[in-house]
Every structure is written in structure tokens, then in C-alpha cells.
Amino acid sequence: MSAYNSHEEGRLVYRYGGEPVGSFVQPSLRPLVPGIAHALFMDVTHDNESPITHRSAYDSLPSSAIVSMACCATGSTRGYDELVPHQISVVTEERFYTKWNPNVAVPGPGEVNGNSGIIAGKKAVNRLHQELAAHGFIQVYVDQVDEDIVAVTRHCPHTHQSVVAVSRTAFRDPKTSFYSKEVPQMCIPGKIEEVILEARTVEQSAEPYKQDKSFINGLPQYTVEIREHIQLVDSKIVRQAGVTTKGPNEYVQEIDFENLTPGSTIAFRVSLDPNAQKSVGILRNHLIQFRPHFRSGSLTDDQQFPILKVPFETIASKLSLADLNQVLYRCDAEEQEDGGGCYNIPNWTPLKYAGLQGLMSVMADIRPKNDLGHPFCDNLRSGDWMIDYLSNRLIARGGACTDVGKWFAAMFSYLKQIPRYLIPCYFDAILVGAYTTLLEAAWKQMSLFVQNGSTLVKHLAMGSVQMCGVGRFPALPVLSPSLPDVPYRTNNITQEKEQCCPSLAAGLPHFSSGIFRCWGRDTFISLRGLLLITGRHIEARNIILAFAGTLRHGLIPNLLGQGTYARYNCRDAVWWWLQCIQDYCNIVPNGISILKCPVSRMYPKDDSPHLPAGQVDQPLYEVIQEALQRHAQGINFRERNAGPQIDRNMRDEGFNIIAGVDPVTGFVYGGNRLNCGTWMDKMGESERARNKGIPATPRDGSAVEIVGLSKSAVRWLSDLNEKNVYPYKGVTVQREGKEMLLTFREWNQQIQNHFERSFYVSENPSDPNEQRPDLVHKRCIYKDSYGASSPWCDYQLRPNFPIAMVVAPELFTASNAWKALEVVEKKLMGPLGMKTLDPDDMVYCGVYDNALDNDNYNVAKGFNYHQGPEWLWPIGYFLRAKLHFAKLLDQETYQKTVVLVKNVLSRHYTHLERSSWKGLPELTNENGQYCPFSCETQAWSISVVLEVLHDL
């Protein structure tokens, strides 16, 4: 390629000539990103006209010097260095090239030597080009000083030595055109060790040019004046060099030029200020523990901080997973609750997390592109604010986090002593090393499933650390004082001992702090994936027992509100809680012992005041029995403080909570047309569209997933009773005015006998079990509910029945289950989640906009939250159900299903990799489109994908 002007030459050197100065250290394994093809950068090719025909001969040397400073292969064409003033035609030229004769001062016709043209200068810049390549000067910075002057820096990222070549081009002939004698002063960061070369094109007395008949000859009247390896004081191009400091650690030399005439070039060898060089060497020495790459250029630390004598891996190993939540994550709302906040980058946005992940997510975008102009890098170069925020925040946390903060502070004390242009790359290197070590420390505390798992498993397992933590105010109610293995800490204000059990956030950032952090349903849908299969058994146990303490009216609260602000307005949380207890007993070694663990009851009776922990303790199995007994005898109450103070949208009847068990079918039922007691709990909010106080999806009657969860619970308790592990045989019920025992075995059989005939919509139009054939619009599916107040709602196709298939697969005929799953796959499966309603339904709308308030009843104020948008967590149950029933069919079907599952999960992997939150969202709009109203990372979304991988 041939350059056209000094701006273009500079641009091409920058584009093809290596990575920018101060570039980030790239990981050995990294995403494949587009890159510039390797270049052969030439000052002229045989296809080009001789530059002398358009420029002056004086320009040949500086243009060649600029080309030679590129960090790529360079080349030229014979004739350029001899200043041949015309193109040498490869087709018609019949003359010979001139011969080399070093033995004469003035070469004769047909001869050239080191004095001819710019040959001596070209040899020097070629030698420099080779030296820079051999010694790892792979970084390049191009500065267009003015219209004619280009400064190119080549930098070695190991030694931080630089070579700066300043060239003054001469496109116009200096003899006939004006060039200013006022050359701008230059500031060169670092200490100039020597002038490697200074050269300029000069005119000598010679015959005017005449084209030789036998040889290809060049202009005879020009030669190069060159001096190599001289001290700055001996330079004829530099008038004087002053020394200044720019900030505490920036050593800068100011260069005033005297004879930087058009056609000249000068190259300086520059090293860091000795103090900065030492700090870089010590930093590199401490970074060797993360990457051997840093060994070159490293120096031992004579007066090192005591904290740096310990490998960072040892410091990280002392952190609990709750500590790692503080070190790596915590969104702005969580930090604000603790009196802080996430770091805000001026002219950009606040970080997603206060912990290291917030910084790492930004750098993951910047690093592959070496985007050193990003506001993040500007902020690092401009001052120490971000650096100090990181270390001071952790030091203030106390405990094991303090040592991590002190380690960062010690490392940063060296970082602050190096030139500002190098701070982004070393800050990144410190963080990458610490971050990867912290991830390893987290995985070492998890189950073998995680430790031996794929990259996807490991990164999803970090969702457990992300979502499970404890802030200044513990979100869980206090556990029984007689329970062992409960974490305690000293309260900073009262100086008293208090429990500090980690709780699960439902999602970030919207459900992360205060009373909106913990939800019964979300917690227990997420608990198996995030805590049980990751091996966090104590945390899982404590959460199960904490919620058990809040049982009231036979229900587990939806909104926990630390127990004191709990709302008992959901019918499903208690069944998800029971499912988790079953999972705990099955997964945890000796898990069955949880049934005898003490539960401190906040409300031993429905009308009890809030009791302190330890006043009324019961074993967990008694609390379980109470939940089942209360359902069997019927639950009917009105929410406390009913009215706008607890729900500004709910209508009066909606505060009446009903639940029970159908005496014939054994199905758990409940709800009414004005409340929504399952996960599809959107309450209308728009007065304008007249949907305020009306649930979009009441799902009253017997919701299919609650029937499945209750079946799972009574089957399990029946088995436990038969093994003499659970003391109760069943529940007492009123039948025809008499109290009688309904055994768990009988209840289990009731559900089994009635499920398929009540829920399956057969392909046979004259199915005798079908009570409302007029409402059927999809066949070979399972109903969403049974006995809804609006009967057509029973027949809506939704992604809820696969949940029942996973927890109680025995309810389903395998062939019918498979047909139903195929309908769900065809109609409801999206790229990441499941459509919450059949797209053929007249109220389907796949785009959720909670801010929109218009006249449309079906969408105003996000009324369609569960009427189409694609939620992620149901896809986990769909895929697990497919795997289960495929196995029952045949091996070929199972293998095809495994392929389907892996294809779907690959999309979750891609999203997780690209997400700055490092999570999976609550929901997407139709066809996987981003939904701005969704939580960016949701506990149950991550949990269910982990469960699918566990099943695989």
C-alpha cells in the first residue's frame, strides 16, 4: 500500500502498525473478534508512480521513516531509495539496475553506494524497524503534530521502553514553498536515553538529472546527512530539552527543535522515570502469581507490604460465599441500603455492581477492542477515585473482605506511581488476576457438580453468589436460638450479636433490597437450583426454616417483609416450600434430619402478635403438618390491614383469601376472580383503561402446577410415614358432619385418579370426560386450571403444566404428555423463555410495557405481563419434562431431545456471556427481544437452567 499524505500515512501506521500504547493484556483464551489482516506496508509499490513526481525528493526519507515505525512487515520497490523520479515499468523497461560500489566516494554512472539518495537513511530506519520487532515493541501511538510533522511511538509492554520517531514530511519542495521555522514544542513522556538516529535530506553539487540510456539512475544531487547513537546534547536537530513533571509520577521531557527541516527525521530512545520503572517492575512481580507472562520486566519488592507476602489465592480462600457476594456483586439498591452506592463514571453510566463484576463487565467490552478512549479509561487516567473506591469499600466491610481491600490498596500504591497512560492496562491486569482467583475460590466451596461442570455450569453457579447475600439489615426472620450452624456477627451500632443468614434476592435490580428483596414463591422456585445442587446446604436449610417460622393461616407469605410485613396472598408459595423441603431431604446427605430442626414460630396462631425467636419453637415436621391440615379443613380469611395501605390497586373482594382441598378430586383449589394467587399475579393498575383492581390472570380454581406440587408433597409424606420418618399418617377432614382421617395415601390416589380425566384435552372431540367441549380450541394439551370462575381460562394454553410434569410425572400418561409438550414447543417456546399465553389467543400480546397507559384494556400499565411475554423460568421445566418423557419413549427420541435442550441452552450461554449483569433476565418480549422493564438477572431464571444441566 502506498501513502498519499502525512495524515494518511499516520492513519495507516496506526491501523496496520500494532496495538495502541498502554493496551490491555489479552487473555490467552478470548472471544474471536474481527481483526485487521496482517499487512505488508510499503512506501511505494511497483504499481505506483514515483512519489517524486507528486512530491519533493525531500519527502522520501521522512515518509520511509514513518512506514518503518509500523509494527508490521514493511517493504519498498527498487528505485525509491535512489530517488528514481519516474515509475519503473515492469513491462517496457529494458535498462539495468545500477551496481553497488562501496569503494568510491562519488559513484560513477551505473553505480550506487551508501551516499546515493536516501540509502544510508533507509538502512538506519530498517535496522531500527528490525530491532523494534525483535525486542517486542508491539504497541504503537501516532501523533499528527501538525500538517507536516508526524510522531510515531513504538512501545514495549514488558519493559515500557519506547522509541519515538519524529518525521517532518516535505510534500512541497522546500526551495519553492514556505515552511514555518516555528516547529511546535513536543513533550515526550519518560527519560530520553539517547538519540538513536537523526537524519535529513540535503542537496549537494552535482550535474542536473539526466536519464541514463543503460542504467536506471536516480537524482544525483541529493544525499542524507545522518548521525546515529548520540546523546541529546549533541543533537543538531534539537535546540534544548527541558525536564518537567506532569503529576506526581509523570516524568516528561520538553523538546524544542532547531533544525527539524522538511525532509528530516529523529528517533529517541525513551525509558520510564526510574521510580516509575521500579513501581512497574514490582507490580509485574506481584502479577506473576496470576500469569507467568509478567515475569519479563519484573523486579523483587524489597519493602513490600505484609499483605503482599501472602498469595492472593490464600486471602481469597478465607472468604465465605456470602463474603464473595460483597466482593464481587451487589447492585446499587443493595449498596444504598448499606449506605453506599455503585461507582458512577462521569460522561457515562454508573457501574452495574459495586463489586468487581461491575468493573469486569465494562472491561470485558473495552479489552478486546483496546478502547483506551472509553470514559472508563479516561476516569482511571484522570485520577485515583475509582481505584480508591474499590479498595476502601472492601476495607470498610470488615471481616475477610477487609484483607481483600488491603491487598488491593497495597497493589494500587504501586499503580499510582506509574505514568497515567499505563494505569488502565495495569488496573485491568490486577483486577483480572484477582477476579479469576475469586471465581475459583467460589467454585471450590460448591458441589462437585459445579467443580467438575462445564463453563456454563460454573458461570450459572455464580448466580448463587450474585443472588444470595446479606446486607446491613438481614432480610430473613430470626431463626431459633437452639438451631446450630447459624451465622452471627456483631451489629456495628448496637454492638450486640445478631444473626446474619444470607437470603435470596428475587431479581436484580428491582427485587434486591428492603421488603421487596425476598418473596416466598421466588425463593423456593430458585432454591433447588441455586443452593441445593450447588452444595450450599446450610444456607438452604436456614432459608427453609426462616420461612417456616412465618407460616400463618397454613400459608407461606408471598412478600416476606422480614416476616413482620408479610403478605399471605398467594396460594402456591407453601407448595413450592414443601417441594424444597422434599428436595432438601433427597439431595443433602442426611437431609431428612431437617424435619426435626426447631422452627421459631412468629405467629403460632393466626391472630398471634409477632413473637420473638425462641418463644414458641416446634420441629419442622409439625409446621409441615399444620400447612396440610389447614388446607384440608379449608382456609378462609381476610388480609390484615386490607385496603390501599397494603395494595393501592386491589378491589375489596380481592383481599379475601380462600384455599382448600376438593373432597372428590383431592385437588387444591382457591382464589377468586379479583385476586391472583399464583406466579401469574399481575393486578390491573390503569384507571384510564378501566382495568384497575382486576387481575389479568386470576387462575382461580385448581391451578395445574399447584395440583402437581400438592401431589408431589402428599406422595412424599405418605412414603415417609410408611418408613416411620414422619409421624402423621394424614389429615383430619369433615365428611357428612363427622371428623375422619384422610390418609396421605388416599389423598395421593384421589389426585392420581382424577388428574388426567380432568386436565387432559383429548384429540377425541367426543371425549366423555370433557365437560365444556364448546371452549376447546387446542387439543392434546393439559388445561391451565380446573374449575376457574371464568371457565374459558381453564382451556388457555400456557406453560404451567410442564411444572406438574417435573414434580409429579406419575400423573401423566407418557404418550399424552409427549403430544402436549410438542404443542408447547411449537406454540410457546421462544429463544430464551416461554410465551406465557398461546399466540392464537385473542388477548395475546408479547410486548410488556409497564409505563404505557392508554385506553387498551389488555395492555395498559403492563396488564399483559403474563399474557404473552416470554418468561425464562418456565423453559427450565419444559426442557426437564421433555427429557423425562423422552427417556420413557425410546432412545432415539431421547437423543433428539438432548440435542434440542443443548441448542436451547446455547442461547442462554450466549446471553450470559454478553450480559453486563452476568445473569439471565426475568423475561423477554416476543421472540426473545429485550424488555427494558424486566429484571436484568433473575434468581429463578438462572436456577432452572442449572437444574436442566443437572438433569442432563
Side-chain angles (χ1 to χ4, degrees), residues 20 24 365-377 381:
F24 296 107
D365 282 338
I366 296 171
R367 192 185 307 111
K369 297 181 280 204
N370 268 321
D371 185 4
L372 293 163
H374 192 283
F376 182 93
C377 299
R381 285 190 294 265

Side-chain angles (χ1 to χ4, degrees), residues 745-762:
R745 178 184 275 274
E746 290 165 345
W747 187 355
N748 179 50
Q749 199 56 49
Q750 264 185 322
I751 301 172
Q752 185 71 43
N753 293 344
H754 290 89
F755 182 81
E756 189 99 0
R757 69 171 82 151
S758 304
F759 276 91
Y760 188 61
V761 182
S762 167

Side-chain angles (χ1 to χ4, degrees), residues 99 101 110 135 253 312 365 452 504 519 708 842 870 905 913 916 927:
K99 290 178 183 167
N101 184 358
H135 292 99
Q253 290 203 248
F312 185 71
D365 282 338
N452 302 331
L504 274 174
W519 301 74
M842 63 183 182
E870 294 164 13
L905 296 188
E913 281 283 292
S916 53
N927 303 320

Side-chain angles (χ1 to χ4, degrees), residues 580-588 590-595 716:
C580 278
I581 299 171
Q582 181 183 165
D583 292 334
Y584 183 94
C585 291
N586 293 336
I587 291 172
V588 179
N590 193 31
I592 205 82
S593 63
I594 194 174
L595 298 177
W716 174 60

Side-chain angles (χ1 to χ4, degrees), residues 807-818:
V807 296
E810 71 276 7
L811 287 173
F812 298 82
T813 307
S815 57
N816 290 347
W818 190 254

Side-chain angles (χ1 to χ4, degrees), residues 85 254 299 386 498 527 572 578 703 720 742 819:
E254 293 173 342
L299 292 171
M386 196 190 310
E498 66 179 12
L527 189 127
D572 58 350
L578 287 164
L720 290 187
L742 172 67
K819 287 175 196 163

Side-chain angles (χ1 to χ4, degrees), residues 454-755:
S454 63
T455 310
L456 176 57
V457 166
K458 287 182 167 174
H459 287 172
L460 286 165
M462 290 311 294
S464 166
V465 181
Q466 186 187 94
M467 295 292 173
C468 189
V470 59
R472 185 190 287 181
F473 308 107
L476 293 179
V478 181
L479 295 166
S480 167
S482 60
L483 184 70
D485 298 322
V486 175
Y488 282 86
R489 67 183 177 196
T490 303
N491 185 302
N492 288 341
I493 298 160
T494 64
Q495 296 304 308
E496 290 179 4
K497 208 166 103 167
E498 66 179 12
Q499 290 183 11
C500 54
C501 293
S503 61
L504 274 174
L508 311 181
H510 308 313
F511 305 116
S512 59
S513 61
I515 63 166
F516 296 107
R517 177 178 172 85
C518 290
W519 301 74
R521 174 190 303 123
D522 296 69
T523 293
F524 294 112
I525 291 173
S526 309
L527 189 127
R528 182 177 183 267
L530 290 187
L531 299 183
L532 292 178
I533 64 179
T534 58
R536 302 187 66 178
H537 301 152
I538 290 289
E539 290 98 326
R541 182 205 69 173
N542 292 344
I543 289 170
I544 288 168
L545 297 175
F547 272 89
T550 66
L551 187 92
R552 199 176 201 179
H553 309 288
L555 296 173
I556 290 291
N558 181 25
L559 180 67
L560 177 63
Q562 285 115 18
T564 46
Y565 303 101
R567 276 195 76 185
Y568 295 86
N569 63 334
C570 75
R571 309 192 306 275
D572 58 350
V574 67
W575 299 105
W576 283 110
W577 171 73
L578 287 164
Q579 183 63 38
C580 278
I581 299 171
Q582 181 183 165
D583 292 334
Y584 183 94
C585 291
N586 293 336
I587 291 172
V588 179
N590 193 31
I592 205 82
S593 63
I594 194 174
L595 298 177
K596 293 181 178 172
C597 283
V599 173
S600 272
R601 295 293 298 272
M602 288 179 105
Y603 311 107
K605 294 190 167 58
D606 291 349
D607 54 0
S608 298
H610 169 207
L611 297 182
Q615 192 163 327
V616 176
D617 275 13
Q618 288 178 302
L620 178 62
Y621 66 78
E622 286 189 16
V623 186
I624 292 171
Q625 184 61 21
E626 183 180 323
L628 289 149
Q629 182 58 50
R630 292 298 298 273
H631 276 81
Q633 71 191 42
I635 295 167
N636 191 339
F637 67 96
R638 184 167 172 79
E639 281 197 83
R640 275 163 191 72
N641 305 314
Q645 60 269 38
I646 63 166
D647 194 323
R648 66 177 187 271
N649 298 308
M650 183 91 80
R651 297 193 183 184
D652 188 69
E653 190 189 328
F655 293 107
N656 300 331
I657 308 298
I658 294 170
V661 179
D662 185 278
V664 177
T665 62
F667 299 164
V668 172
Y669 66 85
N672 65 44
R673 65 188 183 85
L674 287 177
N675 60 31
C676 30
T678 75
W679 79 274
M680 292 183 161
D681 57 358
K682 178 66 182 181
M683 180 60 73
E685 298 174 43
S686 173
E687 291 178 349
R688 184 173 164 186
R690 296 184 176 83
N691 65 27
K692 183 168 177 162
I694 299 170
T697 41
R699 301 189 72 231
D700 57 343
S702 298
V704 66
E705 75 277 16
I706 296 180
V707 174
L709 288 160
S710 57
K711 171 70 166 67
S712 175
V714 296
R715 180 228 310 129
W716 174 60
L717 292 174
S718 174
D719 291 348
L720 290 187
N721 175 259
E722 285 171 16
K723 292 172 185 166
N724 295 319
V725 177
Y726 187 77
Y728 299 97
K729 196 166 189 173
V731 289
T732 54
V733 292
Q734 293 288 331
R735 293 281 192 273
E736 298 162 5
K738 283 191 289 205
E739 196 173 84
M740 56 179 285
L741 178 73
L742 172 67
T743 67
F744 293 128
R745 178 184 275 274
E746 290 165 345
W747 187 355
N748 179 50
Q749 199 56 49
Q750 264 185 322
I751 301 172
Q752 185 71 43
N753 293 344
H754 290 89
F755 182 81

Side-chain angles (χ1 to χ4, degrees), residues 350-371:
L351 299 177
K352 301 290 188 271
Y353 293 109
L356 266 65
Q357 186 61 62
L359 301 156
M360 292 299 295
S361 290
V362 183
M363 294 194 298
D365 282 338
I366 296 171
R367 192 185 307 111
K369 297 181 280 204
N370 268 321
D371 185 4

